[in-house]
Amino acid sequence: MSAKRSTNARAAALECLLAVLGRGQSLDGALASVLPALEDPRDRGFCQALAYGVLREHRRLGALRDQLLRSPLRSRDYDIALLIELGLYQLLVMDVPGHAAVSQTVALAHERNKAWAAKLANAVLRRFQREMPTVLAAVDDQPAVRYSLPDWLLKRLQTDWPAQWMDLIAAQNTRAPMTLRRNARATAVPELPPAQPMPGFADALVLDQAVGVDNLPAFAQGVISVQDAAAQLAADVLDAQAGESILDACAAPGGKTAHILERAEVKMLALDQDAQRLDSVKSNLERLGLKAQTQVGDAGEPTSWWDEQPFDRILLDAPCSGSGVIRRHPDIKWLRRESDIAELQRGQQRLLKALWPLLKPGGRLVYATCSVLHAENEAIIDAFMAEHTDATALELDLPVGQSVGYGQQILTGESGVDGFYYACLQKR
Ligand SMILES: C[S@@+](CC[C@H](N)C(=O)[O-])C[C@H]1O[C@@H](n2cnc3c(N)ncnc32)[C@H](O)[C@@H]1O
């Protein structure tokens, strides 16, 4: 990798970090704005690895930086604070020669016309190289720092999962595997790089090594999709049968909609309140050769879109904190606030309540989230069951996770999958 190219990749990673941590943008959005300018795919990969990595370790890297600095940086020098985190991350975690990590970080400070910061970064990074074990020992004794979580989230995980929280927070900082879903309708055998099936997950294949979808012709051919194995259980729990009418109430970008359609010939209404995101449902269905009616609308206000024909089954994949998928979206740790949780709960309760009357007697509603917080999962179903005597919670038999009250909770990293919650309610 030439020096200039690698400086560009680091500069792009710094832009992403500033967008996420400084301006509250999502990591996906930030990467989408910087990656196209990097021509070399190796640079794009390096930039992504840096941005994901620093967000995973952000609190720990910040503590290391502050430990190494004589006086804290001013808030207007947040770019330099993050630049030092980028340098530290390369020295601590990445397979980058130490001299390159230091010299490239220094070069980046010069590029930002902050010569003072170049000197400072050089001194801090060199000291880290010399004193790594001592400096790490000084910050790693607090789990919230060692595993880079905001205090409020760690506290919730500890309260909710007293026996499991250590494994859970360690899993949240790992790199997730790339998991594919075979299109059950496709007759062609997909040509794929080495991949392993997952016992208990009918359509899942885990690639030995992640690759860009552009390098998987089977993706464009509609033979495979990219979807975590835990998310693939939605189709199992819903268990839609041929001829039934199905509502996918929060459908975009359509991963679960498509999976349900791949499994059975059903009449599907894919609803989402976000028109732009609903477009991605349409393009996914087109790529896979599947058909559904799509509708922009608020699932909590059925009068504005429902034709009064009750559904056999409803999937409510509710908007949630995403605390189960932090390993794929480490920006969640820094973008979510504790106050979001109560607001998300109100939304989850509202949607569940509004959709229940749309179900036929005997029909099933599946409530799902990619959260590992009780507040968004059992607490929602407990409250719902207390108010709805015509609902029975069905026993689930999933290949992973544990029964919790009315549903089943999968914790991030169990059998290598994302954190998810499923409950299946039948109407009497
Ligand atoms: C967890 S995502 C759904 C993921 C999707 N089921 C999949 O598997 O690809 C939640 C979705 O709910 C949508 N949403 C949020 N509030 C909504 C509402 N009140 N009505 C309909 N859709 C809503 C969001 O736009 C978002 O696309």
Side-chain angles (χ1 to χ4, degrees), residues 227 231 234 248-257 271-275 277-278 281 284 297-301 305 315-320 347 350-351 368-370 420:
Q227 189 181 41
D248 187 351
C250 292
K256 299 184 188 72
T257 320
L271 179 84
D272 203 281
Q273 72 173 8
D274 184 326
R277 284 175 62 88
L278 198 64
V281 179
N284 261 324
D298 176 359
E301 292 284 345
W305 50 264
L315 172 62
L316 171 54
D317 188 17
C320 72
R350 182 179 78 95
L351 299 190
T369 72
C370 56
F420 254 86

Side-chain angles (χ1 to χ4, degrees), residues 210-240:
V211 292
V213 281
D214 296 346
N215 297 323
L216 293 175
F219 180 81
Q221 292 156 6
V223 180
I224 51 129
S225 299
V226 179
Q227 189 181 41
D228 187 82
Q232 296 187 30
L233 295 174
D236 290 348
V237 180
L238 192 71
D239 193 27

Side-chain angles (χ1 to χ4, degrees), residues 56-185:
R56 275 192 191 110
E57 303 271 354
H58 170 52
R59 187 165 179 184
R60 187 182 188 207
L61 297 168
L64 291 170
R65 177 198 61 225
D66 294 346
Q67 186 78 15
L68 291 159
L69 282 172
R70 280 213 194 91
S71 51
L73 290 162
R74 294 164 302 188
S75 58
R76 70 164 189 247
D77 293 319
Y78 194 49
D79 59 338
I80 301 307
L82 294 178
L83 174 112
I84 294 176
E85 287 188 29
L86 268 173
L88 290 170
Y89 179 73
Q90 291 163 60
L91 293 175
L92 182 63
V93 180
M94 278 187 126
D95 195 14
V96 174
H99 64 86
V102 178
S103 67
Q104 292 295 317
T105 306
V106 169
L108 196 49
H110 279 300
E111 267 188 18
R112 301 185 77 83
N113 294 321
K114 291 190 174 178
W116 62 270
K119 265 197 195 158
L120 182 77
N122 188 50
V124 165
L125 297 181
R126 284 183 189 280
R127 196 175 141 210
F128 184 57
Q129 283 180 298
R130 286 193 308 270
E131 300 174 20
M132 199 181 291
T134 332
V135 188
L136 280 175
V139 307
D140 276 353
D141 57 344
Q142 290 176 58
V145 177
R146 170 62 186 87
Y147 292 98
S148 286
L149 282 168
D151 290 332
W152 71 265
L153 184 52
L154 178 63
K155 215 180 280 168
R156 280 198 181 239
L157 296 175
Q158 287 173 323
T159 310
D160 287 1
W161 303 106
Q164 300 90 342
W165 66 269
M166 274 298 295
D167 287 343
L168 177 56
I169 64 173
Q172 283 178 329
N173 277 8
T174 58
R175 291 173 65 161
M178 181 165 178
T179 308
L180 306 177
R181 183 187 79 232
R182 258 179 309 218
N183 181 347
R185 288 187 185 219

Side-chain angles (χ1 to χ4, degrees), residues 237-238 313 362-366 381 385 391-397 403 405-408 422-427:
V237 180
L238 192 71
R313 294 176 203 240
R364 288 179 187 187
L365 183 149
V366 173
I381 301 301
M385 295 299 287
T392 311
L394 301 181
E395 199 66 35
L396 297 181
D397 180 25
S403 292
Y406 291 117
Q408 192 149 337
Y422 288 105
C424 182
L425 310 178
Q426 187 158 41
K427 198 183 237 183

Side-chain angles (χ1 to χ4, degrees), residues 324-370:
V325 293
I326 281 176
R327 58 183 194 156
R328 296 190 188 276
H329 303 279
D331 50 332
I332 286 174
K333 298 199 277 192
W334 317 116
L335 298 178
R336 282 270 170 241
R337 299 277 168 265
E338 181 159 33
S339 56
D340 295 346
I341 304 300
E343 201 173 313
L344 286 163
Q345 282 187 296
R346 280 192 288 278
Q348 289 151 356
Q349 270 158 347
R350 182 179 78 95
L351 299 190
L352 194 50
K353 226 173 180 168
L355 292 172
W356 186 249
L358 279 55
L359 196 60
K360 280 184 194 168
R364 288 179 187 187
L365 183 149
V366 173
Y367 176 82
T369 72
C370 56

